[in-house]
């Protein structure tokens, strides 16, 4: 089976490429490398250095493909508040183009990287897939718009689709080519920022006055290797038609301060921090109810926050 991995040079996509290859899938990659890194592409893997916005790139990338894992897109909450039109164009218009090209190429299976940001400030915790969706930032709004687009597409065509709503993805994967890990520039994610924090450049704690026990935001962290495992299981469920949506997290929340404590234990050093204002677009608490993924994907995450911190630490050393 050949799988097209859009965004296959990014943090999550490159780890998907590696794991899928080692499990015997044939892999093609489409990525414009705007945030990814071409040096992650393994030798022998078909790689189209192109864009979701270019139909010819999509047509080329879809050659001989049976299913698509769609990771490509812009994914930073803060940036999306500043540049909503960029998020609309790449995420929503890009996915529209991808679905059109898939239909022409008769590729009717997709697993889409959706997000917990679709829920916004949750009306219930843990968050279920049936919970209300009121995104608090343009990033989440684009992911929700795509989920709706895929639902409509699956009703009007033979598309079989799964959206996986990621909570906070963390950790890294060691390969015989070295570590595949987060290499964002600038890095905005909490765990790498904590582990790179120095006295001269302390990690900012975005908001200490949230309505949470220690005043900092609570998130649900899932190891990237567990996350890819869920994608492979989702792919295996794409036999008929229709669109299913599953949350992917651990089911447990950690505050920013708790993640800092886990890092301090792993490094045996104090993490330099600075209390900072809230970041635009952040909800206070995001914790997943993962019972649907457990039930229908037969999936269960097995790597805890300590493993996520330890792998990230090793990857940057
Ligand atoms: N955060 C923080 N300092 C940082 C990066 C993130 O306090 O340098 C907080 C952020 O406000 C959020 C949580 O850590 O509450 C996780 O943020 P991240 O950017 O890692 O992921 P997101 O939740 O935006 O997907």
């Amino acid at each position: 089976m050949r799988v097209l991995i859009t965004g296959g040079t990014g943090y999550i996509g490159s780890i998907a490429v590696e794991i899928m290859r080692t499990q015997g899938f044939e892999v093609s990659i489409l990525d414009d490398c705007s945030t990814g890194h071409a040096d992650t592409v393994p030798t022998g893997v078909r790689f189209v250095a192109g864009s979701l916005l270019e139909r010819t790139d999509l047509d080329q990338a879809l050659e001989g493909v049976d299913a698509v894992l769609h990771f490509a897109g812009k994914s930073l909450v803060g940036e999306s508040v500043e540049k909503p039109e960029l998020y609309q164009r790449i995420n929503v218009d890009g996915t529209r183009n991808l679905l059109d090209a898939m239909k022409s190429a008769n590729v009717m299976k997709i697993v889409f990287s959706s997000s917990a940001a679709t829920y916004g400030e949750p009306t219930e915790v843990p968050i279920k897939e049936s919970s209300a969706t009121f995104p608090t930032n343009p990033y989440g709004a684009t992911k929700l718009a795509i989920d709706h687009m895929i639902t409509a597409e699956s009703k009007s065509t033979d598309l079989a689709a799964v959206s996986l709503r990621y909570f906070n993805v963390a950790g890294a994967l060691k390969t015989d080519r070295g570590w595949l890990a987060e290499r964002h520039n600038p890095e905005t994610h909490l765990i790498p920022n904590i582990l790179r924090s120095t006295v001269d450049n302390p990690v900012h704690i975005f908001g200490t006055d949230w309505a949470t026990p220690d005043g900092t935001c609570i998130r649900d962290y899932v190891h990237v290797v567990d996350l890819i495992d869920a994608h492979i299981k989702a792919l295996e469920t794409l036999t008929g038609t229709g669109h299913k949506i599953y949350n992917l997290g651990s089911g447990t929340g950690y505050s920013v301060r708790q993640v800092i404590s886990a890092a301090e234990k792993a490094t045996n050093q104090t993490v330099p921090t600075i209390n900072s204002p809230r970041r635009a677009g952040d909800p206070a608490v995001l914790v997943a109810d993962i019972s649907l993924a457990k039930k229908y994907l037969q999936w269960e995450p097995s790597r805890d926050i300590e493993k996520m911190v330890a792998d990230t630490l090793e990857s940057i050393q």
Side-chain angles (χ1 to χ4, degrees), residues 11 22 60 73 79-80 87 179 184 195 224 229 258 272 303:
Y11 162 49
T22 55
Q60 193 189 340
E79 183 187 51
S80 80
Y87 279 65
W179 282 90
H184 301 118
L195 294 171
V224 61
D229 177 38
Q258 286 176 315
R303 297 161 182 84

Side-chain angles (χ1 to χ4, degrees), residues 77-85 138:
V77 167
E79 183 187 51
S80 80
V81 175
E82 285 158 27
K83 301 178 186 167
E85 73 297 338

Side-chain angles (χ1 to χ4, degrees), residues 168 188-190 193 204-206 217 219 221 256 279 282:
N168 286 65
T188 62
H189 287 139
L190 181 64
N193 280 354
H204 290 256
I205 300 180
F206 294 139
C217 281
R219 294 287 180 275
Y221 296 84
V256 171
R279 188 173 65 176
D282 267 345

Side-chain angles (χ1 to χ4, degrees), residues 116-123 131-137 140-141 144 165 281 283 286:
T118 52
Y119 299 110
E121 193 67 59
T123 48
S131 297
T133 44
F134 294 112
T136 51
N137 54 66
L144 184 61
R165 288 190 171 157
L286 291 174

Side-chain angles (χ1 to χ4, degrees), residues 10-314:
Y11 162 49
I12 301 174
S14 64
I15 291 174
V17 168
E18 182 67 21
I19 294 175
M20 304 275 305
R21 279 173 72 233
T22 55
Q23 296 202 7
F25 290 90
E26 291 180 300
V27 169
S28 299
I29 297 173
L30 173 69
D31 201 310
D32 64 5
C33 293
S34 54
T35 52
H37 304 272
D39 62 7
T40 62
V41 177
T43 323
V45 165
R46 215 181 275 176
F47 172 39
V48 176
S51 166
L52 294 172
L53 301 177
E54 293 294 336
R55 180 58 186 259
T56 48
D57 294 343
L58 285 165
D59 290 343
Q60 193 189 340
L62 283 164
E63 274 168 29
V65 161
D66 304 293
V68 176
L69 297 188
H70 180 30
F71 296 98
K74 309 297 287 177
S75 62
L76 300 178
V77 167
E79 183 187 51
S80 80
V81 175
E82 285 158 27
K83 301 178 186 167
E85 73 297 338
L86 176 70
Y87 279 65
Q88 172 70 30
R89 192 154 46 82
I90 307 284
N91 292 1
V92 181
D93 301 349
T95 304
R96 181 67 262 163
N97 289 348
L98 172 65
L99 293 176
D100 290 345
M102 285 174 63
K103 197 169 161 191
S104 297
N106 200 26
V107 179
M108 300 310 280
K109 295 179 180 195
I110 187 168
V111 178
F112 169 59
S113 304
S114 187
S115 169
T118 52
Y119 299 110
E121 193 67 59
T123 48
E124 56 181 344
V125 178
I127 302 171
K128 296 187 179 65
E129 291 80 352
S130 56
S131 297
T133 44
F134 294 112
T136 51
N137 54 66
Y139 165 64
T142 63
K143 291 289 181 179
L144 184 61
I146 298 167
D147 280 344
H148 289 157
M149 184 195 298
I150 292 175
T151 300
E153 190 80 1
S154 74
K155 285 184 177 155
S156 68
T157 70
D158 288 339
L159 187 70
V162 169
S163 286
L164 297 173
R165 288 190 171 157
Y166 306 171
F167 282 63
N168 286 65
V169 187
L173 175 68
K174 194 175 191 174
T175 75
D176 45 18
R177 300 176 287 134
W179 282 90
L180 292 170
E182 296 201 61
R183 286 159 69 193
H184 301 118
N185 186 17
E187 186 54 74
T188 62
H189 287 139
L190 181 64
I191 293 177
N193 280 354
I194 288 174
L195 294 171
R196 289 205 181 95
S197 137
T198 61
V199 174
D200 292 335
N201 195 9
V203 63
H204 290 256
I205 300 180
F206 294 139
T208 52
D209 58 350
W210 296 94
T212 60
D214 68 17
T216 65
C217 281
I218 293 176
R219 294 287 180 275
D220 178 337
Y221 296 84
V222 58
H223 196 291
V224 61
V225 173
D226 284 326
L227 185 95
I228 300 308
D229 177 38
H231 285 68
I232 294 169
K233 293 192 151 82
L235 205 51
E236 286 162 2
T237 67
L238 293 179
T239 47
T241 57
H243 181 207
K244 301 279 188 314
I245 298 179
Y246 303 116
N247 288 338
L248 295 183
S250 68
T252 306
Y254 291 88
S255 72
V256 171
R257 288 199 198 284
Q258 286 176 315
V259 179
I260 291 170
S261 298
E264 289 181 332
K265 263 193 211 133
T267 58
N268 218 6
Q269 281 172 16
T270 304
V271 171
T273 64
I274 181 164
N275 292 348
S276 301
R278 294 180 176 190
R279 188 173 65 176
D282 267 345
V285 180
L286 291 174
V287 178
D289 181 327
I290 56 169
S291 46
L292 287 191
K294 282 186 181 172
K295 183 171 173 191
Y296 293 107
L297 301 180
Q298 309 276 302
W299 172 79
E300 185 136 29
S302 63
R303 297 161 182 84
D304 59 14
I305 192 84
E306 282 75 25
K307 173 79 174 147
M308 295 177 225
V309 169
D311 287 350
T312 310
L313 182 62
E314 210 180 320

